[in-house]
């Protein structure tokens, strides 16, 4: 069975030595002392290791089953969900007015990594509930919030998001689900939704669906979409459960991965629903929580890379195979461990450099979300909105790539199900598709986010990097090993942006053909910034003689690898971008 151990040292390092959350003036951050976060993460780590991780393979093998209209989850899931709920983990960063603990989202993100790495499919039940909670909290009436949120915070009731229909995915303007107004102010929802994660299960007393639908007579296209709260079981004004609503699970999808999560076809046959927010403003309501949701999906890419890397690193240390070309390093054994071979080390360092840089990137993004939520900072919201397509797209692309490399370290044994590496690869794959496929993330980044507010936030990112380079240029070793590569990557990124501005005006395809490369280039630069910040923190700790010297030396060595071997990929990205649209668009459609 695969192993999983919470990376507590690294989480503490990023939170307190890199991001220095304990020194932030943001509301709630005064509670984020090293002792407090350490205690929370240690308990969360035990739960992930001892309760969730052992069920990961069980969920993969058993999957979910639809029996008499009810979805049955894999063996042990319900007991684990009860444990999660009883510990108060589901309301960690939720509003205290509805029973939450009111902690900052950055702490919830750190805890979330542990949960998603140990059992991604299981984590999704609570994760989707949190997304539904956030949309209701931001847009529903006080009466609806009072009716639904307290038990969603505790996950006594779970939540879903219903967007996709059989004939429309990304293009929501085509959706057909309709909502007929009723005399009592409610609506009758009729239509079919597909790919609904956690659409039904046996671990909660109710499921609260958020459903996008059109009210007859409203505007055409996306401007006519509204958002509705549609409970599986009706809820009285006193909060008591009543009769079943007119909705059902049509089928469970058979999927490549995340078998432990129920992916449902949902049928709404005149089901009672309640308007959440303003009529015809459903997309705006849904997109309120998109930054949070896409940060969570980026975390899924990271989480699968983390657990896959842990197992690959352990296997490489233990598996004996061949001899080091420079001479036997295990002379008393029949062969040397895999770790002696340069190509194995290359694959492991690709993974290690990614997961540690991505962890810092995701947590940095969470601090911006906290800033916006607590202070309303438009600058924080703008910067996060710029970076979210990168967090979602780059982290899930590279997370899948890391899981594949981890599988490769195992050789033929990685292809055998009992090793567990196949599951990490299969589970990681979906994160590149849902919550906005990564091609859409790249288009959003290039087509919308770069120009947002007149390009203010993109320019602010470049200024941030420029100021960082200037402020730390006095350290010659740091400059050569970290700052100069970061500067080169940032220049490539700026050159690509200038190309889009110039060529894209004449031929939009010239920009869109390079959007995926630009998203990855941005990811390299963002992780490069994180690695430079981590290098400064590690050097400071070594100079002060505090903490675990081996940990900080390993951090610096991994960062040097990222800067020397991964950051130069921006040059390739830039060359592809500047080739323009012709290589992509010249081939006639009928020639494919």
């Amino acid at each position: 069975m695969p192993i999983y151990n919470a990376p507590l040292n690294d989480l503490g390092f990023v939170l307190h030595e890199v991001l220095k959350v304990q020194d932030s003036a943001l509301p709630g951050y005064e509670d984020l002392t090293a002792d407090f976060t350490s205690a929370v993460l240690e308990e969360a780590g035990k739960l992930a290791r001892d309760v969730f991780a052992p069920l990961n393979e069980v969920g993969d093998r058993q999957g979910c089953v639809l029996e008499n209209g009810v979805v049955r989850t894999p063996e042990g899931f319900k007991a684990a969900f009860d444990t999660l709920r009883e510990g108060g983990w589901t309301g960690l960063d939720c509003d205290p007015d509805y029973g939450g603990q009111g902690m900052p989202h950055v702490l919830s993100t750190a805890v979330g990594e542990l949960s998603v790495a140990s059992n991604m499919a299981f984590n999704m039940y609570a994760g989707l509930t949190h997304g539904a909670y956030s949309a209701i909290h931001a847009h529903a009436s006080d009466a609806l919030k009072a009716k639904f949120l307290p038990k969603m915070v505790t996950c006594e009731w779970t939540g879903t998001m219903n967007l996709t229909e059989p004939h429309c995915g990304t293009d929501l303007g085509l959706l057909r689900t309709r909502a007929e107004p009723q005399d009592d102010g409610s609506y009758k929802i009729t239509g079919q939704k597909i790919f609904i994660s956690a659409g039904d299960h046996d671990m909660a007393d109710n499921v609260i669906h958020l459903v996008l639908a059109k009210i007859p007579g409203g505007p055409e296209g996306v401007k006519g979409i509204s958002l509705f709260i549609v409970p599986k079981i009706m809820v009285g004004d006193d909060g008591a459960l009543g009769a079943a609503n007119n909705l059902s699970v049509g089928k469970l999808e058979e999927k490549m991965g995340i078998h432990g999560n129920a992916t449902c076809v949902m049928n709404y046959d005149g089901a009672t629903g309640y308007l959440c927010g303003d009529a015809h403003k459903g997309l705006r309501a849904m997109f309120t929580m998109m930054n949070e949701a896409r940060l969570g999906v980026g975390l899924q890419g990271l989480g699968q890379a983390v657990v896959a890397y842990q197992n690959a690193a352990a296997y490489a240390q233990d598996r004996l195979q061949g001899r080091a070309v420079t001479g036997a390093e295990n002379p008393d054994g029949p062969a040397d461990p895999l770790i002696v071979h340069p190509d194995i080390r290359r694959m492991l360092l690709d993974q290690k450099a990614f997961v540690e840089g991505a962890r810092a990137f995701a947590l940095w993004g969470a601090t911006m979300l906290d800033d916006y939520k607590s202070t309303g900072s438009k600058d924080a919201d703008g910067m996060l909105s710029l970076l979210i397509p990168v967090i979602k797209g780059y982290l899930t692309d590279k997370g899948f790539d890391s899981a594949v490399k981890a599988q490769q370290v195992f050789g033929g044994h990685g292809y055998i199900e009992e090793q567990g590496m196949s599951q990490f690869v299969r589970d990681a794959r979906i994160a590149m598709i849902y919550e906005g496929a990564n091609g859409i993330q790249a288009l959003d980044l290039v087509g919308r986010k770069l120009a947002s507010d007149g390009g203010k936030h993109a320019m602010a990112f470049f200024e941030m990097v420029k100021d960082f380079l200037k402020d730390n240029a006095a350290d010659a070793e740091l400059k050569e090993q970290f700052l100069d590569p970061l500067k080169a990557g940032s220049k490539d990124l700026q050159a690509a942006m200038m190309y889009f501005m110039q060529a894209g005006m004449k031929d939009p395809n010239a920009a869109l053909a390079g959007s995926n490369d630009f998203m990855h280039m941005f990811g390299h630069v963002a992780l490069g910034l994180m690695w430079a910040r981590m290098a400064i923190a590690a050097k400071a700790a070594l100079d002060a003689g505090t903490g675990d010297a081996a940990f900080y030396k390993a951090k610096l060595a991994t960062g040097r690898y990222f800067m020397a071997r991964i950051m130069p990929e921006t040059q390739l990205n830039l060359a592809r971008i500047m080739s323009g649209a012709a290589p992509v668009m010249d081939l006639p459609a009928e020639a494919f």
Side-chain angles (χ1 to χ4, degrees):
M1 178 181 290
I3 61 168
Y4 176 69
N5 291 298
L8 300 181
N9 286 346
D10 204 48
L11 283 166
F13 169 72
V14 173
L15 288 172
H16 297 290
E17 298 179 61
V18 180
L19 300 178
K20 299 183 179 179
V21 295
Q22 70 280 1
D23 299 331
S24 172
L26 291 177
Y29 275 50
E30 67 274 8
D31 295 326
L32 299 183
T33 64
D35 287 343
F36 176 74
T37 61
S38 176
V40 170
L41 293 172
E42 184 175 356
E43 289 305 310
K46 290 177 183 176
L47 192 64
R49 181 194 64 206
D50 299 337
V51 179
F52 305 154
L55 293 174
N56 198 39
E57 184 181 1
V58 174
D60 187 52
R61 291 188 180 279
Q62 292 185 7
C64 296
V65 179
L66 180 61
E67 295 179 345
N68 300 318
V70 178
V71 174
R72 307 296 179 191
T73 51
E75 182 180 348
F77 268 44
K78 188 177 188 306
F81 203 68
D82 289 342
T83 300
L84 176 73
R85 187 165 45 213
E86 290 161 4
W89 295 102
T90 60
L92 192 65
D93 67 330
C94 294
D95 189 341
D97 288 346
Y98 300 101
Q101 298 180 45
M103 289 287 105
H105 192 71
V106 69
L107 182 60
S108 177
T109 300
V111 170
E113 182 201 315
L114 309 184
S115 182
V116 75
S118 59
N119 195 325
M120 178 171 159
F122 177 83
N123 169 263
M124 290 172 63
Y125 291 98
L128 287 157
T129 304
H130 195 287
Y133 154 88
S134 294
I136 294 172
H137 187 273
H139 294 283
S141 66
D142 289 342
L144 289 174
K145 287 192 281 190
K147 177 179 283 192
F148 293 106
L149 290 187
K151 291 194 175 180
M152 293 181 73
V153 168
T154 62
C155 273
E156 291 172 81
W157 302 346
T158 59
T160 71
M161 315 297 287
N162 286 236
L163 290 79
T164 307
E165 298 183 5
H167 60 283
C168 79
T170 300
D171 191 354
L172 292 172
L174 299 176
L175 68 79
R176 297 171 184 162
T177 300
R178 66 183 187 275
E180 299 281 352
Q182 304 298 299
D183 292 341
D184 63 357
S186 67
Y187 292 77
K188 293 297 183 184
I189 312 298
T190 302
Q192 185 179 78
K193 298 289 185 177
I194 64 171
F195 304 155
I196 309 306
S197 300
D200 192 73
H201 56 89
D202 55 0
M203 301 189 297
D205 297 330
N206 203 358
V207 181
I208 312 303
H209 300 284
L210 286 187
V211 182
L212 289 181
K214 290 185 175 180
I215 301 171
E220 293 296 318
V222 295
K223 293 181 179 180
I225 295 174
S226 301
L227 181 64
F228 298 89
I229 300 171
V230 187
K232 173 184 175 181
I233 301 173
M234 297 301 295
V235 181
D237 292 337
D238 60 354
L241 295 179
N245 206 350
N246 292 323
L247 58 90
S248 61
V249 179
K251 63 174 286 192
L252 289 182
E253 301 289 2
E254 294 186 20
K255 312 184 297 292
M256 175 179 176
I258 56 169
H259 296 154
N261 194 270
T263 303
C264 303
V265 173
M266 299 299 305
N267 296 321
Y268 295 91
D269 301 303
T272 298
Y274 308 97
L275 185 65
C276 182
D278 297 329
H280 316 310
K281 303 294 184 183
L283 277 189
R284 186 177 67 180
M286 187 70 82
F287 275 90
T288 295
M289 39 66 65
M290 279 301 176
N291 280 352
E292 175 188 318
R294 287 172 175 169
L295 174 61
V297 176
L299 208 63
Q300 291 182 335
L302 166 62
Q304 295 311 290
V306 168
V307 68
Y309 164 70
Q310 287 187 2
N311 284 273
Y315 187 80
Q317 296 278 6
D318 183 65
R319 172 77 168 175
L320 301 182
Q321 198 83 171
R323 289 291 189 189
V325 294
T326 53
E329 295 195 18
N330 179 35
D332 295 332
D336 289 333
L338 283 172
I339 195 73
V340 306
H341 303 299
D343 197 56
I344 295 293
R345 296 174 70 89
R346 173 191 62 83
M347 289 189 287
L348 291 174
L349 276 165
D350 278 353
Q351 297 164 62
K352 182 176 173 62
F354 166 70
V355 299
E356 293 180 13
R359 176 175 296 124
F361 188 27
L363 291 172
W364 182 43
T367 65
M368 296 179 211
L369 187 61
D370 281 329
D371 192 352
Y372 175 63
K373 284 185 173 181
S374 61
T375 72
S377 168
K378 292 184 178 180
D379 287 342
D381 184 48
M383 181 63 74
L384 179 61
S385 295
L386 171 69
L387 295 176
I388 277 296
V390 186
I391 292 175
K392 194 280 182 185
Y394 180 79
L395 263 58
T396 57
D397 275 354
K398 300 301 287 186
F400 175 74
D401 179 60
S402 290
V404 170
K405 285 177 178 172
Q407 184 183 37
Q408 187 74 12
V409 170
F410 279 73
H413 291 282
Y415 201 63
I416 304 301
E417 290 291 345
E418 70 182 75
Q419 295 291 345
M421 304 309 291
S422 168
Q423 183 184 354
F424 301 141
V425 171
R426 290 184 285 104
D427 285 358
R429 187 63 184 87
I430 185 57
M432 301 162 68
I433 299 173
Y434 60 18
E435 206 61 63
N438 286 357
I440 298 297
Q441 300 301 321
L443 295 180
D444 179 47
L445 175 64
V446 170
R448 294 177 63 241
K449 299 299 176 60
L450 286 182
S452 179
D453 293 329
K456 172 184 175 181
H457 307 296
M459 296 311 298
F461 179 83
F462 291 127
E463 283 299 313
M464 180 195 312
V465 174
K466 181 180 177 181
D467 291 344
F468 175 82
L469 294 171
K470 181 179 178 181
D471 292 343
N472 296 283
D475 187 326
E477 183 180 48
L478 182 75
K479 182 177 183 298
E480 179 185 358
Q481 297 176 348
F482 289 89
L483 302 187
D484 286 349
L486 174 59
K487 182 178 181 179
S490 181
K491 283 187 172 183
D492 287 342
L493 188 63
Q494 292 177 69
M497 184 173 171
M498 290 301 297
Y499 174 80
F500 289 154
M501 293 174 63
Q502 295 166 1
M505 295 295 290
K506 301 175 183 176
D507 180 9
N509 281 336
L512 300 186
S515 59
N516 184 267
D517 275 290
F518 187 81
M519 180 180 72
H520 277 252
M521 183 190 293
F522 211 138
H524 295 327
V525 174
L527 259 66
L529 177 60
M530 294 299 100
W531 269 113
R533 293 179 67 179
M534 288 191 286
I536 291 171
K539 283 174 65 69
L542 285 171
D543 291 343
T546 59
D548 182 354
F551 171 86
Y552 296 119
K553 289 178 180 178
K555 185 67 66 178
L556 288 168
T558 307
R560 288 192 296 268
Y561 178 89
F562 181 91
M563 292 299 189
R565 297 283 300 231
I566 298 175
M567 182 61 85
E569 290 180 22
T570 60
Q571 298 169 36
L572 172 61
N573 296 135
L574 180 60
R576 287 172 172 165
I577 288 168
M578 297 190 72
S579 72
V584 177
M585 303 304 296
D586 279 357
L587 186 68
E590 61 272 16
F592 280 90

